[in-house]
Amino acid sequence: MTNPYLRGQARPTRVANVGHRGAMGLRPENTLEGFELAFDLGADMVELDVHPSRDGHPVVLHDDRLGRTTDAGRRRPGGGAAFVSDLTLDELRALDAGTWFVEALERGAPPAPHGPTDDERRAWLTPGALAALGGGRVRPPSLEEVLLLARRRGRRVNVELKLVPRRYERLVAAVVEVVRRLGVEEQVLLSSFDHAGLAEAKRLAPELPVAALCVARLADPGRYVAEVLGGDAWNPGCVGEVDTLGFGAEAFARDGARALDRASVEGARARGVSVHTWTVNDPARLEALVALGVDAIITDYPNRLSRVIAPATSV
Ligand code: G3P
Ligand code: CA
């Protein structure tokens, strides 16, 4: 079998429900606990972010520095300012990546926009769940651990290569090595804001689809991705200051989904380029994107998208 997100392949007919950093609204981001819950909530795919450890292993954390989502700053003065690539895999795996999340909720600072709702708190943020997440046992995972989980669950993984602004020279090769070693080529999609890095990935591993993350409104995204990049998917931002499809447009307030950039979406799909939108949590916008005909929606709340499209079972 071939990865269906490669350009020119028959894509899945259902819109993919992609859990952003796992289920970022309901669990600490980029943790096994979050990826497990995302799959439980019907996600076809989870999105995650990788950096290299000092000893070269791809590790799953979003920020370049450790301070926001781990206890590195509490362990030693200045530890929060360290880069992921300053620590070995073993040192990173000893950090606590869960307590900050519980403390943010207790401060009334939800870790993702649009929620959680009272119903979501009652279902997934129970006192027992928060005690476990804040108990010091949630770790930053290696990419290998997440890929093994996805293989066991029969779901997909969108690996975002964090290559801007820190241009890690060996990250792409290290990611390709672990994907091939675990035999999960059909379940993995690579994405990045570093499109030159994606071109390198395509040269190293043509069997893996690559997706161009975009915060600019492109003149012809299908042509750009297919012809300039030699890539497979266009990932337009759809939120806040990186909203490029038109949700923030004056016309959207008047005409709703009809005002979104249908020409770019249809132009991309006509060239065999998938359209994966991020990061959308508002139920009305989730419905508008499904109606628009995108291929995937990245959300912090996979449970909300599972109310619009049927929950996933396996790939
Ligand atoms: O892949 C979409 C999204 O994850 C890109 O932005 O900052 O959440 O990694 P960020
Ligand atoms: Ca990301």
Side-chain angles (χ1 to χ4, degrees):
M1 219 171 85
T2 308
N3 194 310
Y5 290 101
L6 285 169
R7 182 160 43 89
Q9 293 296 313
R11 280 172 302 218
T13 47
R14 58 177 274 117
V15 182
N17 181 339
V18 186
H20 185 230
R21 307 184 202 172
M24 184 178 160
L26 301 172
R27 285 291 179 271
E29 65 184 61
N30 283 326
T31 62
L32 293 175
E33 288 76 2
F35 301 126
E36 286 274 19
L37 182 63
F39 292 142
D40 290 345
L41 297 177
D44 298 82
M45 190 182 316
V46 289
E47 190 266 1
L48 55 78
D49 308 278
V50 290
H51 298 255
S53 64
R54 196 173 82 214
D55 46 350
H57 298 280
V59 180
V60 180
L61 279 152
H62 179 271
D63 300 358
D64 291 349
R65 296 179 192 272
L66 296 169
R68 183 179 62 87
T69 61
T70 77
D71 65 342
R74 289 184 188 172
R75 290 178 177 235
R76 66 174 182 83
F83 291 108
V84 176
S85 56
D86 289 335
L87 274 63
T88 64
L89 176 61
D90 285 348
E91 289 167 340
L92 290 164
R93 298 271 300 119
L95 298 174
D96 172 3
T99 298
W100 73 273
F101 173 88
V102 176
E103 290 177 349
L105 284 171
E106 286 169 354
R107 279 199 313 276
H114 291 281
T117 64
D118 289 345
D119 283 349
E120 287 167 341
R121 284 177 190 272
R122 277 192 290 274
W124 296 295
L125 297 168
T126 59
L130 294 180
L133 296 171
R137 289 186 300 278
V138 177
R139 305 288 177 213
S142 64
L143 177 62
E144 178 162 343
E145 288 176 283
V146 185
L147 294 179
L148 287 169
L149 167 65
R151 193 170 75 177
R152 177 167 61 76
R153 298 288 304 256
R155 309 288 175 93
R156 300 185 194 282
V157 181
N158 174 172
V159 178
E160 184 188 338
L161 304 161
K162 285 298 190 196
L163 293 168
V164 177
R166 308 198 84 222
R167 298 259 296 278
Y168 302 114
E169 282 178 20
R170 293 183 306 278
L171 179 61
V172 174
V175 168
V176 168
E177 186 279 324
V178 66
V179 169
R180 285 179 171 165
R181 179 160 46 80
L182 298 181
V184 289
E185 294 94 328
E186 290 160 21
Q187 290 169 250
V188 169
L189 166 80
L190 304 178
S191 67
S192 189
F193 289 105
D194 179 357
H195 298 184
L198 291 177
E200 180 194 343
K202 204 65 182 171
R203 279 193 300 275
L204 273 179
E207 75 274 23
L208 298 180
V210 303
L213 284 162
C214 293
V215 296
R217 188 167 166 236
L218 302 183
D220 186 343
R223 185 156 69 88
Y224 171 70
V225 171
E227 295 183 13
V228 177
L229 192 56
D232 306 279
W234 167 50
N235 289 23
C238 289
V239 65
E241 292 179 355
V242 296
D243 164 26
T244 63
L245 269 192
F247 282 111
E250 195 190 352
F252 183 73
R254 204 173 49 242
D255 294 334
R258 278 196 304 281
L260 296 179
D261 187 355
R262 187 173 297 277
S264 290
V265 172
E266 289 176 355
R269 299 186 89 244
R271 287 176 184 269
V273 170
S274 302
V275 181
H276 301 195
T277 51
W278 53 278
T279 299
V280 182
N281 297 337
D282 170 29
R285 292 185 181 197
L286 293 172
E287 285 183 24
L289 287 172
V290 172
L292 186 63
V294 302
D295 297 281
I297 304 173
I298 299 174
T299 177
D300 298 317
Y301 296 90
N303 56 303
R304 296 183 190 176
L305 190 48
S306 285
R307 294 172 74 102
V308 184
I309 56 174
T313 48
S314 64
V315 293

